[in-house]
Amino acid sequence: MSSARDPGSLSDVDGVLVGHHQRAGRGWQTGTTVVHVPAGAVCAIDVRGGGPGTRETDALAPGNLVDRVHAVCLSGGSAYGLSAADGVMAELETRGLGVPVGDDPAHVVPVVPTAVVFDLGRGGRFGARPGPDFGARALRSAKRTSRRGSIGAGTGARAGGLQGGVGMACAIVSVGDVAIRVGALAVVNAAGCAVDPRSGAPWVDHPAVRRPTADDRRAWRAWVHEQTVERQALNTTIGVVATDAALDRAEAGRVAMAAHDGLARAIRPAHALTDGDAVFALATADRSLPTDSDGLVRTATSRVQYLNAIAAASAEVFALACVDAVVSATTLGSAPAYLDLCPGARRP
């Protein structure tokens, strides 16, 4: 879980694993991140950007057939990168994970919801983008991990002219006698910035960052004034929020919706017509919530109050994960990383 310097990890939620695969150099700067739930999880998505790149998201609508998924794929490569999910599907099939479609347990069809960011040409070659091998390798590497920064789907990411990346965070929500974990992973590739252009401090506090020094602020303002980095017209922040609460798909959808509140707090502006901002929610059902037979909010421990608390935590951890992606990034290519530009802002 999170500490004084560590905001936590998506895989602090039991049963949720994270894997990355990337290539950088020799014309490459892109990658794929897979969130793997071996036991399966209820999944939902909320899309707020005007230019999303997604796959298998209709299957997540309440009332449709697919009840649980075993992986979510996040990838660079724009729409071409959606093919990374083919490798995830193939790997899941070898493990017998997917929707059963016959009497033979090996006959399954894995459903892999996927979203992509636009990083085409970041490393130099427009055609250097993830394919099925990226997805398969990312899934095979999935584990409980705190790895973040300029890896996986965040390898070619940009954030307001800075190097973007993968960020994570986790929190515990206590309502009544039940402690619920809510974790987030964000891939930040945004036209908007996670850092205040005037102060040089992130919009949302991060435990590893302190107030920038006077030298940092001068360097930051000079960079903001003089930067010549061309900001791409096509941008996206994508991610996953996971909880160990038992939620149905409609309730998971509310959690994904709330995560966008956090996105908008951390990245300004957000949700533009040229953004593909999309957030998945996963619910592993390890923690039961009350069932209110009368449907009314009568007590502080009613189901509605639990859901409100989980949604509020979703916004908070996703905001922190967005900042974490920028704070944890390292300089790759032409875009500087925030802490390389403002080293005095790093907490000792």
Side-chain angles (χ1 to χ4, degrees), residues 1 167 171 224 319 336:
M1 294 302 298
V224 169

Side-chain angles (χ1 to χ4, degrees), residues 2-77:
S2 60
S3 67
R5 296 289 184 270
D6 179 7
S9 165
L10 181 71
S11 56
D12 287 337
V13 178
D14 289 340
V16 180
L17 311 177
V18 178
H20 307 283
H21 182 68
Q22 63 279 324
R23 287 188 64 180
R26 298 186 177 183
W28 288 82
Q29 191 178 336
T30 190
T32 300
T33 294
V34 171
V35 177
H36 179 33
V37 191
V42 171
C43 187
I45 186 174
D46 193 80
V47 178
R48 294 298 170 99
T54 57
R55 167 173 163 167
E56 296 281 28
T57 53
D58 284 351
L60 306 181
N64 285 353
L65 177 64
V66 177
D67 182 55
R68 298 173 77 81
V69 305
H70 297 89
V72 171
C73 181
L74 308 174
S75 186

Side-chain angles (χ1 to χ4, degrees), residues 98-122:
V99 179
V101 292
D103 294 334
D104 188 333
H107 293 174
V108 296
V109 177
V111 174
V112 182
T114 304
V116 293
V117 300
F118 185 95
D119 60 4
L120 296 174
R122 287 281 160 81

Side-chain angles (χ1 to χ4, degrees), residues 314-339:
S314 173
E316 292 175 2
V317 295
F318 201 81
L320 184 52
C322 288
V323 173
D324 187 57
V326 176
V327 167
S328 302
T330 52
T331 299
L332 293 176
S334 59
Y338 171 69
L339 286 179

Side-chain angles (χ1 to χ4, degrees), residues 82-301:
L82 292 170
S83 66
D86 292 340
V88 181
M89 286 186 67
E91 187 66 23
L92 289 174
E93 183 185 18
T94 67
R95 304 179 188 191
L97 298 177
V99 179
V101 292
D103 294 334
D104 188 333
H107 293 174
V108 296
V109 177
V111 174
V112 182
T114 304
V116 293
V117 300
F118 185 95
D119 60 4
L120 296 174
R122 287 281 160 81
R125 288 175 48 202
F126 187 83
R129 55 218 182 203
D133 60 320
F134 276 66
R137 292 185 181 192
L139 178 58
R140 287 197 292 267
S141 73
K143 58 185 178 181
R144 297 194 70 165
T145 181
S146 60
R147 289 187 67 207
R148 67 241 292 156
S150 304
I151 59 174
T155 303
R158 297 286 186 267
L162 296 169
Q163 173 68 38
V166 173
M168 295 192 288
C170 191
I172 294 178
V173 179
S174 295
V175 183
D177 296 330
V178 181
I180 303 295
R181 283 183 171 85
V182 183
L185 180 151
V187 181
V188 178
N189 183 59
C193 195
V195 181
D196 184 341
R198 295 167 296 180
S199 71
W203 293 112
V204 173
D205 289 340
H206 188 284
V209 175
R210 62 183 179 182
R211 179 178 173 81
T213 66
D215 287 343
D216 290 331
R217 292 194 295 273
R218 281 191 290 269
W220 171 254
R221 290 167 184 163
W223 179 79
V224 169
H225 179 70
E226 298 175 5
Q227 68 164 312
T228 58
V229 176
E230 181 180 354
R231 299 191 181 185
Q232 297 289 327
L234 300 174
N235 313 276
T236 300
T237 296
I238 56 178
V240 175
V241 175
T243 178
D244 52 9
L247 306 179
D248 63 29
R249 275 185 284 183
E251 292 167 343
R254 299 293 302 185
V255 172
M257 180 190 302
H260 282 279
D261 294 343
L263 193 163
R265 294 172 196 169
I267 300 170
R268 307 180 189 183
H271 302 143
L273 188 61
T274 49
D275 287 334
D277 297 340
V279 181
F280 295 95
L282 295 171
T284 65
D286 288 339
R287 298 285 187 273
S288 296
L289 302 183
T291 300
D292 299 325
S293 59
D294 58 10
L296 299 177
V297 183
R298 295 193 180 276
T299 69
T301 56

